[in-house]
Amino acid sequence: MTEMVYGALPVQAGEPILPKWWRTLDKWTMSCVLMLFVIGLLLGLAASVPLAERNGFDNFHYVERQAVFGITALVAMVITSMMSPTLVRRLAVIGFICAFVALALLPVFGTDFGKGATRWYSLGFASLQPSEFLKPGFIVVAAWMIAASQQINGPPGTLMSFGLCLTVVLMLVMQPDFGQACLVLFGWGVMYFVAGAPMLLLVIMAAVVVMGGVVAYSSSEHFARRIDGFLNPEIDPTTQMGYATNAIREGGLFGVGVGEGEVKWSLPDAHTDFIIAVAAEEYGLVLVVILILLYTAVVARTLFRLMRERDTFIRLAGTGLVCTFGVQAMINMGVAVRLLPAKGMTLPFVSYGGSSLIAGGIAVGMLLAFSRSRPQGEIADFLRGHGRGHGHQTGPARGHGRG
């Protein structure tokens, strides 16, 4: 009868890990991420060739490196997605501590690679950006703290997580890296909202953020220059924004053709921050819409699955991770079409960058681990069971009917 109603067999004791992982995995989300990676390699074939020639490398030097980084990221994603939420949380705590220490030591051992912001460690064969690995670790740690504060006689986890958030944001602003600081603050704000924060407090926080932006504008020449460029109604055609805007305009609906784009020869960051301009010029609006739909599918599907999750920690951590993922993509594309000031932020799984790809793989792996179907994991079943006043067994069967 259970099979006829729910279409899934009950969990069997001692089920092998791979069949259990595959059965409970959100395969649509994983498929969307794989498609984003493939599109990133396709765009890298076009966008990175001019940079490779300028630096004296083989034409596909950066594409080959992106493939290596991407495969590493996908392996990390799959391994992380097989873990239990408890194990993910423990590893996230360790990863956050390591990334936090690395971030704190950047002023001493870091480098700016001539970009005006000390964000990286130079490893010789590659570079490492600690803030990319800090984000998923911080979100999981903050979710753990907020969830603990909601337990009876629990610690003041919400206040502790807010203090930790402000510390991380301050360290990022000092680099300066306002984009990553905004993402960290946004991730914490989303989790706090889902946990039941009063709207008035969120409005006050938004006002504080605006005031912080005013202070940053008056005290940071780097920040002020980007804001002034964004507010200026005239676009200098010789700037990165000018080249990107013209490329998007030239692409039209179907693009100018594969390999026929010109913006990749002018933009130094065509393979990273402005990869969407290359996509729009060579493949047109069609590919841009496909990218938007893929990101939207990941965010929407994960949020719908998390809405049925009973565990507070899983619900908060998953929401923070997926919303940060989606907003980062939105910011990158918003900058390219001049809806937002320049942030220096990559497009997840599409832009070139080892730290971004591998950290993104770990973050999505955590997300997949949190959104997997689990027995009695849906809040709707929990509420129905209490409403009837009996211990019905609909939860376990429904928990495995998804995926």
Side-chain angles (χ1 to χ4, degrees), residues 85-341:
T86 302
L87 182 56
V88 170
R89 185 185 66 204
R90 291 171 180 170
L91 294 180
V93 171
I94 297 173
F96 171 75
I97 293 173
C98 294
F100 186 87
V101 172
L103 191 70
L105 294 177
L106 271 177
V108 181
F109 301 105
T111 181
D112 62 356
F113 289 110
K115 295 188 177 183
T118 306
R119 303 176 184 173
W120 300 272
Y121 286 103
S122 178
L123 305 179
F125 61 92
S127 61
L128 177 68
Q129 187 174 355
S131 61
E132 292 285 357
F133 296 91
L134 185 77
K135 283 184 301 185
F138 166 77
I139 288 173
V140 174
V141 170
W144 180 31
M145 292 179 175
I146 296 174
S149 69
Q150 298 186 357
Q151 298 176 359
I152 299 175
N153 297 324
T158 301
L159 183 60
M160 293 166 59
S161 68
F162 183 59
L164 187 62
C165 176
L166 291 182
T167 303
V168 171
V169 167
L170 182 61
M171 293 171 66
L172 290 170
V173 168
M174 290 174 62
Q175 292 183 357
D177 191 347
F178 296 101
Q180 298 287 8
C182 289
L183 276 182
V184 168
L185 192 59
F186 171 80
W188 184 87
V190 166
M191 292 188 293
Y192 189 36
F193 174 75
V194 172
M199 186 60 68
L200 178 60
L201 185 57
L202 293 175
V203 172
I204 294 174
M205 285 181 56
V208 171
V209 170
V210 172
M211 291 175 59
V214 173
V215 172
Y217 179 83
S218 59
S219 59
S220 172
E221 181 181 350
H222 173 79
F223 185 80
R225 185 169 60 251
R226 292 195 169 188
I227 295 297
D228 290 338
F230 171 69
L231 295 177
N232 189 352
E234 299 295 330
I235 304 177
D236 185 350
T238 61
T239 61
Q240 290 198 102
M241 191 62 66
Y243 289 127
T245 303
N246 183 67
I248 294 172
R249 186 186 304 114
E250 291 294 326
L253 185 59
F254 297 107
V256 298
V258 180
E260 299 298 324
E262 297 294 332
V263 70
K264 58 193 176 186
W265 299 97
S266 307
L267 275 175
D269 294 327
H271 63 312
T272 54
D273 300 350
F274 289 92
I275 191 73
I276 198 69
V278 177
E281 185 182 31
E282 298 201 359
Y283 298 92
L285 180 63
V286 173
L287 183 59
V288 176
V289 170
I290 291 174
L291 286 171
I292 294 174
L293 291 176
L294 288 173
Y295 286 113
T296 303
V298 172
V299 174
R301 182 168 176 82
T302 303
L303 288 178
F304 278 121
R305 291 173 73 91
L306 290 171
M307 285 173 62
R308 298 190 290 265
E309 177 58 54
R310 193 202 313 173
D311 188 284
T312 303
F313 161 69
I314 294 175
R315 193 164 62 249
L316 293 178
T319 301
L321 287 169
V322 76
C323 287
T324 302
F325 175 84
V327 167
Q328 179 170 338
M330 184 181 71
I331 290 175
N332 178 279
M333 290 185 279
V335 167
V337 297
R338 210 165 178 262
L339 290 176
L340 296 169

